[in-house]
Short mmCIF file of all heavy atoms in Angstrom, two decimals:
data_model
loop_
_atom_site.label_atom_id
_atom_site.label_comp_id
_atom_site.label_asym_id
_atom_site.label_seq_id
_atom_site.Cartn_x
_atom_site.Cartn_y
_atom_site.Cartn_z
N MET K 269 134.13 81.54 80.49
CA MET K 269 133.55 82.56 79.64
C MET K 269 132.33 82.01 78.90
O MET K 269 131.38 82.75 78.67
CB MET K 269 134.63 83.01 78.66
CG MET K 269 134.43 84.36 78.10
SD MET K 269 134.42 85.58 79.40
CE MET K 269 134.04 86.96 78.42
N ASP K 270 132.38 80.74 78.56
CA ASP K 270 131.27 80.13 77.84
C ASP K 270 130.02 80.06 78.71
O ASP K 270 128.90 80.25 78.22
CB ASP K 270 131.69 78.73 77.37
CG ASP K 270 131.00 78.35 76.08
OD1 ASP K 270 130.57 79.26 75.36
OD2 ASP K 270 130.93 77.13 75.81
N ALA K 271 130.20 79.79 80.00
CA ALA K 271 129.06 79.71 80.91
C ALA K 271 128.41 81.09 81.09
O ALA K 271 127.18 81.20 81.18
CB ALA K 271 129.51 79.17 82.26
N ILE K 272 129.23 82.12 81.13
CA ILE K 272 128.70 83.47 81.29
C ILE K 272 127.92 83.88 80.05
O ILE K 272 126.84 84.47 80.14
CB ILE K 272 129.83 84.47 81.59
CG1 ILE K 272 130.46 84.14 82.95
CG2 ILE K 272 129.32 85.89 81.57
CD1 ILE K 272 131.69 84.94 83.25
N ASP K 273 128.44 83.56 78.87
CA ASP K 273 127.75 83.88 77.62
C ASP K 273 126.42 83.15 77.51
O ASP K 273 125.45 83.69 76.96
CB ASP K 273 128.63 83.54 76.42
CG ASP K 273 129.77 84.53 76.25
OD1 ASP K 273 129.65 85.66 76.78
OD2 ASP K 273 130.77 84.17 75.60
N SER K 274 126.36 81.92 78.02
CA SER K 274 125.12 81.16 77.94
C SER K 274 124.03 81.76 78.84
O SER K 274 122.85 81.50 78.63
CB SER K 274 125.35 79.69 78.31
OG SER K 274 125.73 79.59 79.67
N VAL K 275 124.43 82.56 79.80
CA VAL K 275 123.45 83.23 80.66
C VAL K 275 123.14 84.63 80.12
O VAL K 275 121.98 85.06 80.11
CB VAL K 275 123.99 83.34 82.11
CG1 VAL K 275 123.08 84.19 82.97
CG2 VAL K 275 124.16 81.95 82.71
N ILE K 276 124.13 85.33 79.64
CA ILE K 276 123.96 86.72 79.20
C ILE K 276 123.22 86.81 77.87
O ILE K 276 122.35 87.68 77.70
CB ILE K 276 125.33 87.42 79.11
CG1 ILE K 276 126.01 87.46 80.48
CG2 ILE K 276 125.21 88.81 78.53
CD1 ILE K 276 125.29 88.29 81.50
N ASN K 277 123.53 85.95 76.92
CA ASN K 277 122.92 86.04 75.59
C ASN K 277 121.39 85.91 75.61
O ASN K 277 120.71 86.71 74.96
CB ASN K 277 123.55 85.03 74.64
CG ASN K 277 124.94 85.45 74.20
OD1 ASN K 277 125.29 86.63 74.25
ND2 ASN K 277 125.73 84.48 73.77
N PRO K 278 120.83 84.93 76.33
CA PRO K 278 119.35 84.89 76.37
C PRO K 278 118.74 86.14 77.01
O PRO K 278 117.67 86.60 76.59
CB PRO K 278 119.05 83.65 77.21
CG PRO K 278 120.24 82.80 77.07
CD PRO K 278 121.39 83.74 76.95
N LEU K 279 119.42 86.71 78.00
CA LEU K 279 118.91 87.93 78.63
C LEU K 279 118.93 89.10 77.65
O LEU K 279 118.00 89.91 77.62
CB LEU K 279 119.72 88.26 79.87
CG LEU K 279 119.56 87.30 81.05
CD1 LEU K 279 120.50 87.68 82.18
CD2 LEU K 279 118.13 87.27 81.54
N LYS K 280 119.98 89.19 76.84
CA LYS K 280 120.05 90.25 75.84
C LYS K 280 118.95 90.10 74.80
O LYS K 280 118.29 91.07 74.42
CB LYS K 280 121.41 90.24 75.14
CG LYS K 280 122.54 90.82 75.96
CD LYS K 280 123.83 90.81 75.15
CE LYS K 280 125.00 91.35 75.94
NZ LYS K 280 126.24 91.32 75.16
N GLU K 281 118.74 88.86 74.33
CA GLU K 281 117.70 88.62 73.35
C GLU K 281 116.32 88.93 73.93
O GLU K 281 115.47 89.51 73.25
CB GLU K 281 117.75 87.17 72.88
CG GLU K 281 118.95 86.85 72.02
CD GLU K 281 118.98 85.39 71.62
OE1 GLU K 281 117.89 84.78 71.53
OE2 GLU K 281 120.08 84.87 71.40
N PHE K 282 116.11 88.56 75.19
CA PHE K 282 114.83 88.86 75.83
C PHE K 282 114.62 90.37 75.94
O PHE K 282 113.51 90.87 75.70
CB PHE K 282 114.78 88.22 77.22
CG PHE K 282 113.52 88.52 77.98
CD1 PHE K 282 112.34 87.90 77.63
CD2 PHE K 282 113.53 89.42 79.02
CE1 PHE K 282 111.17 88.18 78.32
CE2 PHE K 282 112.38 89.71 79.72
CZ PHE K 282 111.20 89.08 79.37
N ALA K 283 115.65 91.10 76.27
CA ALA K 283 115.54 92.56 76.37
C ALA K 283 115.23 93.17 75.01
O ALA K 283 114.37 94.06 74.91
CB ALA K 283 116.83 93.14 76.94
N LYS K 284 115.89 92.70 73.96
CA LYS K 284 115.63 93.22 72.61
C LYS K 284 114.18 92.93 72.20
O LYS K 284 113.49 93.81 71.66
CB LYS K 284 116.58 92.59 71.59
CG LYS K 284 117.98 93.12 71.64
CD LYS K 284 118.83 92.42 70.59
CE LYS K 284 120.29 92.79 70.70
NZ LYS K 284 121.11 92.07 69.72
N ASP K 285 113.72 91.70 72.45
CA ASP K 285 112.35 91.34 72.10
C ASP K 285 111.34 92.18 72.90
O ASP K 285 110.30 92.59 72.37
CB ASP K 285 112.10 89.86 72.35
CG ASP K 285 112.85 88.98 71.37
OD1 ASP K 285 113.25 89.48 70.30
OD2 ASP K 285 113.02 87.78 71.68
N SER K 286 111.62 92.43 74.15
CA SER K 286 110.72 93.22 74.99
C SER K 286 110.63 94.65 74.49
O SER K 286 109.53 95.23 74.43
CB SER K 286 111.19 93.21 76.44
OG SER K 286 111.19 91.91 76.95
N VAL K 287 111.75 95.23 74.10
CA VAL K 287 111.75 96.60 73.58
C VAL K 287 110.98 96.65 72.27
O VAL K 287 110.18 97.56 72.04
CB VAL K 287 113.20 97.12 73.41
CG1 VAL K 287 113.23 98.41 72.63
CG2 VAL K 287 113.85 97.31 74.77
N ARG K 288 111.17 95.67 71.40
CA ARG K 288 110.46 95.62 70.13
C ARG K 288 108.95 95.51 70.35
O ARG K 288 108.16 96.18 69.68
CB ARG K 288 110.97 94.43 69.31
CG ARG K 288 110.52 94.48 67.88
CD ARG K 288 111.07 93.35 67.03
NE ARG K 288 112.41 92.97 67.38
CZ ARG K 288 112.82 91.70 67.49
NH1 ARG K 288 112.00 90.72 67.28
NH2 ARG K 288 114.08 91.43 67.80
N LEU K 289 108.54 94.69 71.32
CA LEU K 289 107.12 94.54 71.61
C LEU K 289 106.54 95.84 72.16
O LEU K 289 105.44 96.25 71.78
CB LEU K 289 106.91 93.41 72.62
CG LEU K 289 105.48 93.18 73.09
CD1 LEU K 289 104.63 92.69 71.94
CD2 LEU K 289 105.46 92.21 74.24
N ALA K 290 107.24 96.49 73.05
CA ALA K 290 106.75 97.74 73.64
C ALA K 290 106.61 98.83 72.58
O ALA K 290 105.67 99.64 72.64
CB ALA K 290 107.68 98.19 74.75
N LYS K 291 107.50 98.87 71.63
CA LYS K 291 107.40 99.88 70.56
C LYS K 291 106.24 99.59 69.63
O LYS K 291 105.63 100.50 69.08
CB LYS K 291 108.70 99.93 69.75
CG LYS K 291 109.84 100.59 70.48
CD LYS K 291 111.07 100.63 69.62
CE LYS K 291 112.24 101.28 70.34
NZ LYS K 291 113.46 101.29 69.52
N ARG K 292 105.93 98.32 69.43
CA ARG K 292 104.89 97.93 68.49
C ARG K 292 103.48 98.07 69.07
O ARG K 292 102.52 98.29 68.34
CB ARG K 292 105.13 96.49 68.08
CG ARG K 292 104.51 96.12 66.79
CD ARG K 292 104.89 94.72 66.43
NE ARG K 292 103.85 94.18 65.59
CZ ARG K 292 103.94 94.07 64.29
NH1 ARG K 292 105.04 94.43 63.69
NH2 ARG K 292 102.96 93.59 63.58
N CYS K 293 103.34 97.95 70.38
CA CYS K 293 102.03 98.03 71.03
C CYS K 293 101.52 99.46 71.03
O CYS K 293 102.29 100.41 71.04
CB CYS K 293 102.12 97.53 72.47
SG CYS K 293 102.44 95.77 72.57
N HIS K 294 100.22 99.60 71.01
CA HIS K 294 99.61 100.92 71.07
C HIS K 294 98.34 100.84 71.92
O HIS K 294 97.77 99.78 72.13
CB HIS K 294 99.26 101.43 69.68
CG HIS K 294 98.19 100.66 68.99
ND1 HIS K 294 98.42 99.45 68.39
CD2 HIS K 294 96.88 100.91 68.85
CE1 HIS K 294 97.29 99.00 67.89
NE2 HIS K 294 96.34 99.86 68.15
N GLU K 295 97.90 101.98 72.39
CA GLU K 295 96.68 102.05 73.17
C GLU K 295 95.49 102.01 72.22
O GLU K 295 95.49 102.71 71.20
CB GLU K 295 96.68 103.35 73.97
CG GLU K 295 95.55 103.46 74.95
CD GLU K 295 95.68 104.68 75.82
OE1 GLU K 295 96.80 105.18 75.99
OE2 GLU K 295 94.65 105.14 76.30
N PRO K 296 94.47 101.21 72.53
CA PRO K 296 93.33 101.14 71.62
C PRO K 296 92.56 102.44 71.58
O PRO K 296 92.41 103.13 72.60
CB PRO K 296 92.47 100.01 72.20
CG PRO K 296 92.87 99.92 73.61
CD PRO K 296 94.31 100.34 73.68
N ASN K 297 92.06 102.78 70.42
CA ASN K 297 91.24 103.99 70.30
C ASN K 297 89.78 103.65 70.59
O ASN K 297 89.42 102.51 70.87
CB ASN K 297 91.42 104.65 68.93
CG ASN K 297 91.05 103.72 67.79
OD1 ASN K 297 90.43 102.70 67.99
ND2 ASN K 297 91.45 104.09 66.59
N PHE K 298 88.92 104.64 70.52
CA PHE K 298 87.52 104.47 70.89
C PHE K 298 86.82 103.44 70.00
O PHE K 298 86.02 102.63 70.48
CB PHE K 298 86.81 105.82 70.82
CG PHE K 298 85.38 105.76 71.26
CD1 PHE K 298 85.06 105.65 72.60
CD2 PHE K 298 84.36 105.80 70.33
CE1 PHE K 298 83.76 105.59 73.01
CE2 PHE K 298 83.04 105.75 70.73
CZ PHE K 298 82.73 105.64 72.08
N GLU K 299 87.11 103.46 68.70
CA GLU K 299 86.46 102.52 67.78
C GLU K 299 86.82 101.08 68.11
O GLU K 299 85.95 100.19 68.08
CB GLU K 299 86.86 102.84 66.35
CG GLU K 299 86.32 104.15 65.83
CD GLU K 299 86.84 104.48 64.44
OE1 GLU K 299 87.53 103.63 63.84
OE2 GLU K 299 86.56 105.59 63.97
N GLU K 300 88.08 100.82 68.41
CA GLU K 300 88.50 99.46 68.75
C GLU K 300 87.84 98.99 70.04
O GLU K 300 87.44 97.83 70.16
CB GLU K 300 90.01 99.39 68.88
CG GLU K 300 90.74 99.58 67.57
CD GLU K 300 92.23 99.67 67.75
OE1 GLU K 300 92.70 99.99 68.86
OE2 GLU K 300 92.95 99.42 66.77
N ILE K 301 87.72 99.88 71.01
CA ILE K 301 87.07 99.52 72.28
C ILE K 301 85.60 99.20 72.05
O ILE K 301 85.07 98.23 72.60
CB ILE K 301 87.24 100.65 73.31
CG1 ILE K 301 88.71 100.76 73.71
CG2 ILE K 301 86.38 100.43 74.53
CD1 ILE K 301 89.04 101.94 74.57
N MET K 302 84.94 99.98 71.22
CA MET K 302 83.52 99.74 70.95
C MET K 302 83.30 98.44 70.18
O MET K 302 82.34 97.71 70.44
CB MET K 302 82.90 100.92 70.20
CG MET K 302 82.84 102.19 71.02
SD MET K 302 82.13 101.99 72.66
CE MET K 302 80.46 101.60 72.26
N LYS K 303 84.19 98.11 69.24
CA LYS K 303 84.09 96.84 68.52
C LYS K 303 84.23 95.68 69.50
O LYS K 303 83.46 94.72 69.46
CB LYS K 303 85.19 96.72 67.47
CG LYS K 303 84.93 97.44 66.19
CD LYS K 303 86.07 97.16 65.22
CE LYS K 303 86.00 98.00 63.99
NZ LYS K 303 87.14 97.75 63.10
N LEU K 304 85.21 95.76 70.36
CA LEU K 304 85.44 94.70 71.34
C LEU K 304 84.25 94.57 72.28
O LEU K 304 83.80 93.45 72.57
CB LEU K 304 86.72 95.00 72.13
CG LEU K 304 87.11 93.98 73.17
CD1 LEU K 304 87.44 92.66 72.51
CD2 LEU K 304 88.29 94.48 73.97
N ALA K 305 83.72 95.69 72.75
CA ALA K 305 82.58 95.65 73.67
C ALA K 305 81.36 95.02 73.01
O ALA K 305 80.65 94.22 73.64
CB ALA K 305 82.26 97.06 74.16
N SER K 306 81.11 95.36 71.75
CA SER K 306 79.94 94.79 71.08
C SER K 306 80.12 93.28 70.84
O SER K 306 79.16 92.52 70.96
CB SER K 306 79.67 95.50 69.76
OG SER K 306 80.71 95.28 68.85
N ARG K 307 81.31 92.86 70.54
CA ARG K 307 81.54 91.42 70.33
C ARG K 307 81.41 90.65 71.64
O ARG K 307 80.85 89.55 71.66
CB ARG K 307 82.90 91.20 69.70
CG ARG K 307 82.93 91.68 68.27
CD ARG K 307 84.27 91.54 67.64
NE ARG K 307 84.23 92.05 66.29
CZ ARG K 307 85.29 92.41 65.60
NH1 ARG K 307 86.49 92.31 66.12
NH2 ARG K 307 85.16 92.88 64.37
N VAL K 308 81.92 91.22 72.72
CA VAL K 308 81.81 90.56 74.02
C VAL K 308 80.34 90.49 74.44
O VAL K 308 79.88 89.47 74.96
CB VAL K 308 82.66 91.31 75.08
CG1 VAL K 308 82.33 90.83 76.48
CG2 VAL K 308 84.13 91.11 74.79
N ARG K 309 79.60 91.55 74.20
CA ARG K 309 78.18 91.57 74.54
C ARG K 309 77.44 90.51 73.71
O ARG K 309 76.59 89.79 74.23
CB ARG K 309 77.61 92.95 74.29
CG ARG K 309 76.19 93.09 74.72
CD ARG K 309 75.63 94.48 74.57
NE ARG K 309 75.91 95.00 73.25
CZ ARG K 309 76.39 96.23 73.01
NH1 ARG K 309 76.62 97.03 74.00
NH2 ARG K 309 76.62 96.62 71.78
N GLY K 310 77.78 90.41 72.43
CA GLY K 310 77.14 89.40 71.58
C GLY K 310 77.43 87.99 72.04
O GLY K 310 76.53 87.13 72.07
N MET K 311 78.66 87.74 72.44
CA MET K 311 79.01 86.41 72.94
C MET K 311 78.28 86.12 74.25
O MET K 311 77.85 84.99 74.50
CB MET K 311 80.52 86.30 73.14
CG MET K 311 81.29 86.24 71.85
SD MET K 311 83.07 86.28 72.08
CE MET K 311 83.35 84.91 73.12
N GLY K 312 78.12 87.14 75.08
CA GLY K 312 77.40 86.95 76.34
C GLY K 312 75.94 86.61 76.11
O GLY K 312 75.39 85.70 76.75
N PHE K 313 75.28 87.33 75.19
CA PHE K 313 73.89 87.03 74.87
C PHE K 313 73.76 85.63 74.27
O PHE K 313 72.84 84.89 74.58
CB PHE K 313 73.30 88.06 73.92
CG PHE K 313 72.87 89.32 74.60
CD1 PHE K 313 73.32 90.55 74.14
CD2 PHE K 313 72.01 89.29 75.67
CE1 PHE K 313 72.93 91.72 74.76
CE2 PHE K 313 71.60 90.45 76.31
CZ PHE K 313 72.06 91.67 75.85
N GLY K 314 74.69 85.28 73.41
CA GLY K 314 74.66 83.94 72.81
C GLY K 314 74.78 82.85 73.86
O GLY K 314 74.02 81.88 73.87
N GLY K 315 75.71 83.01 74.78
CA GLY K 315 75.88 82.02 75.85
C GLY K 315 74.66 81.95 76.75
O GLY K 315 74.26 80.87 77.20
N PHE K 316 74.06 83.11 77.04
CA PHE K 316 72.86 83.14 77.87
C PHE K 316 71.73 82.36 77.23
O PHE K 316 71.06 81.55 77.87
CB PHE K 316 72.43 84.58 78.13
CG PHE K 316 71.12 84.70 78.83
CD1 PHE K 316 71.02 84.43 80.18
CD2 PHE K 316 69.98 85.08 78.13
CE1 PHE K 316 69.80 84.54 80.83
CE2 PHE K 316 68.76 85.20 78.77
CZ PHE K 316 68.68 84.92 80.13
N PHE K 317 71.50 82.57 75.93
CA PHE K 317 70.40 81.89 75.26
C PHE K 317 70.67 80.40 75.09
O PHE K 317 69.74 79.59 75.19
CB PHE K 317 70.08 82.56 73.92
CG PHE K 317 69.40 83.88 74.09
CD1 PHE K 317 69.98 85.04 73.61
CD2 PHE K 317 68.20 83.98 74.76
CE1 PHE K 317 69.36 86.27 73.78
CE2 PHE K 317 67.56 85.20 74.95
CZ PHE K 317 68.15 86.35 74.45
N VAL K 318 71.91 80.03 74.87
CA VAL K 318 72.23 78.59 74.79
C VAL K 318 71.96 77.93 76.13
O VAL K 318 71.35 76.86 76.21
CB VAL K 318 73.70 78.39 74.35
CG1 VAL K 318 74.16 76.98 74.61
CG2 VAL K 318 73.86 78.75 72.89
N LYS K 319 72.37 78.58 77.21
CA LYS K 319 72.13 78.02 78.54
C LYS K 319 70.63 77.99 78.84
O LYS K 319 70.12 77.05 79.44
CB LYS K 319 72.87 78.85 79.58
CG LYS K 319 72.98 78.19 80.90
CD LYS K 319 74.04 78.87 81.73
CE LYS K 319 74.29 78.04 82.95
NZ LYS K 319 75.65 77.72 83.17
N LEU K 320 69.92 79.03 78.43
CA LEU K 320 68.48 79.11 78.64
C LEU K 320 67.75 77.96 77.95
O LEU K 320 66.76 77.44 78.46
CB LEU K 320 67.97 80.45 78.13
CG LEU K 320 66.54 80.84 78.43
CD1 LEU K 320 66.38 81.07 79.93
CD2 LEU K 320 66.18 82.10 77.68
N ILE K 321 68.26 77.54 76.80
CA ILE K 321 67.62 76.46 76.05
C ILE K 321 68.03 75.09 76.60
O ILE K 321 67.20 74.20 76.75
CB ILE K 321 67.98 76.57 74.55
CG1 ILE K 321 67.31 77.80 73.95
CG2 ILE K 321 67.57 75.31 73.80
CD1 ILE K 321 67.81 78.15 72.57
N PHE K 322 69.29 74.91 76.93
CA PHE K 322 69.79 73.58 77.25
C PHE K 322 69.58 73.17 78.70
O PHE K 322 69.62 71.97 78.99
CB PHE K 322 71.27 73.45 76.88
CG PHE K 322 71.46 73.23 75.41
CD1 PHE K 322 71.97 74.22 74.61
CD2 PHE K 322 71.11 72.03 74.83
CE1 PHE K 322 72.15 74.03 73.26
CE2 PHE K 322 71.28 71.82 73.48
CZ PHE K 322 71.80 72.82 72.69
N ILE K 323 69.34 74.07 79.62
CA ILE K 323 69.08 73.66 81.00
C ILE K 323 67.78 72.87 81.10
O ILE K 323 67.75 71.78 81.69
CB ILE K 323 69.12 74.86 81.96
CG1 ILE K 323 70.55 75.31 82.17
CG2 ILE K 323 68.48 74.51 83.31
CD1 ILE K 323 70.71 76.54 83.03
N PRO K 324 66.66 73.34 80.52
CA PRO K 324 65.43 72.52 80.58
C PRO K 324 65.57 71.20 79.83
O PRO K 324 65.05 70.17 80.26
CB PRO K 324 64.36 73.39 79.93
CG PRO K 324 64.88 74.76 79.99
CD PRO K 324 66.37 74.65 79.95
N ILE K 325 66.27 71.21 78.71
CA ILE K 325 66.46 69.96 77.95
C ILE K 325 67.27 68.98 78.78
O ILE K 325 66.94 67.78 78.82
CB ILE K 325 67.14 70.26 76.60
CG1 ILE K 325 66.19 71.04 75.69
CG2 ILE K 325 67.60 68.98 75.93
CD1 ILE K 325 66.84 71.52 74.41
N ASN K 326 68.31 69.45 79.45
CA ASN K 326 69.13 68.58 80.28
C ASN K 326 68.31 68.04 81.45
O ASN K 326 68.46 66.86 81.83
CB ASN K 326 70.35 69.35 80.80
CG ASN K 326 71.38 68.44 81.39
OD1 ASN K 326 71.42 67.25 81.09
ND2 ASN K 326 72.22 68.99 82.24
N ASP K 327 67.44 68.86 82.04
CA ASP K 327 66.59 68.37 83.13
C ASP K 327 65.64 67.29 82.65
O ASP K 327 65.35 66.33 83.38
CB ASP K 327 65.79 69.53 83.74
CG ASP K 327 66.65 70.42 84.61
OD1 ASP K 327 67.76 70.00 84.99
OD2 ASP K 327 66.21 71.56 84.90
N ILE K 328 65.14 67.42 81.43
CA ILE K 328 64.23 66.40 80.90
C ILE K 328 64.99 65.09 80.65
O ILE K 328 64.51 64.01 80.99
CB ILE K 328 63.57 66.91 79.60
CG1 ILE K 328 62.59 68.04 79.93
CG2 ILE K 328 62.85 65.78 78.87
CD1 ILE K 328 62.08 68.79 78.71
N ILE K 329 66.18 65.20 80.06
CA ILE K 329 66.94 64.00 79.73
C ILE K 329 67.45 63.30 80.99
O ILE K 329 67.29 62.10 81.14
CB ILE K 329 68.12 64.35 78.79
CG1 ILE K 329 67.59 64.81 77.44
CG2 ILE K 329 69.07 63.17 78.63
CD1 ILE K 329 68.66 65.36 76.52
N VAL K 330 68.04 64.05 81.89
CA VAL K 330 68.63 63.45 83.09
C VAL K 330 67.56 63.14 84.11
O VAL K 330 67.65 62.13 84.83
CB VAL K 330 69.71 64.38 83.68
CG1 VAL K 330 70.25 63.87 84.98
CG2 VAL K 330 70.83 64.60 82.67
N GLY K 331 66.53 63.95 84.19
CA GLY K 331 65.45 63.72 85.14
C GLY K 331 65.89 63.89 86.57
O GLY K 331 65.71 63.01 87.42
N SER K 332 66.54 65.03 86.85
CA SER K 332 67.11 65.23 88.17
C SER K 332 66.06 65.49 89.24
O SER K 332 66.35 65.47 90.42
CB SER K 332 68.09 66.40 88.12
OG SER K 332 67.42 67.59 87.75
N ARG K 333 64.81 65.74 88.87
CA ARG K 333 63.78 66.02 89.87
C ARG K 333 62.83 64.87 90.05
O ARG K 333 62.47 64.07 89.41
CB ARG K 333 62.99 67.27 89.46
CG ARG K 333 63.91 68.46 89.48
CD ARG K 333 63.16 69.70 89.13
NE ARG K 333 64.16 70.76 88.99
CZ ARG K 333 63.89 71.98 88.68
NH1 ARG K 333 62.67 72.34 88.46
NH2 ARG K 333 64.82 72.88 88.59
#
């Protein structure tokens, strides 16, 4: 009986946690999607400009050509 309980109890706890998570989650509304999109776009532009600046600097330092 102890072996069966050691298998069943974690499954019960996992099921309870999964139900609690599903109840707590919600679909994002338009404002949340737009905030996320603007932040992702900002990070993309930032990464592009950092790469744009550091590729020529790296070529000068390493002298690959």
Side-chain angles (χ1 to χ4, degrees):
M269 204 61 185
D270 211 22
I272 295 173
D273 287 338
S274 66
V275 173
I276 298 294
N277 285 338
L279 292 176
K280 284 182 181 179
E281 290 178 28
F282 178 74
K284 285 179 187 178
D285 290 340
S286 298
V287 169
R288 192 177 324 136
L289 177 66
K291 286 181 180 179
R292 202 176 154 102
C293 292
H294 67 281
E295 187 174 336
N297 58 15
F298 184 75
E299 292 175 6
E300 291 174 338
I301 292 172
M302 293 310 293
K303 279 183 189 178
L304 181 64
S306 66
R307 290 177 182 161
V308 168
R309 185 176 49 226
M311 288 174 57
F313 280 127
F316 173 74
F317 287 119
V318 165
K319 194 164 190 128
L320 189 67
I321 291 168
F322 281 108
I323 286 177
I325 292 173
N326 193 22
D327 285 344
I328 291 169
I329 293 172
V330 175
S332 62
R333 295 182 188 179

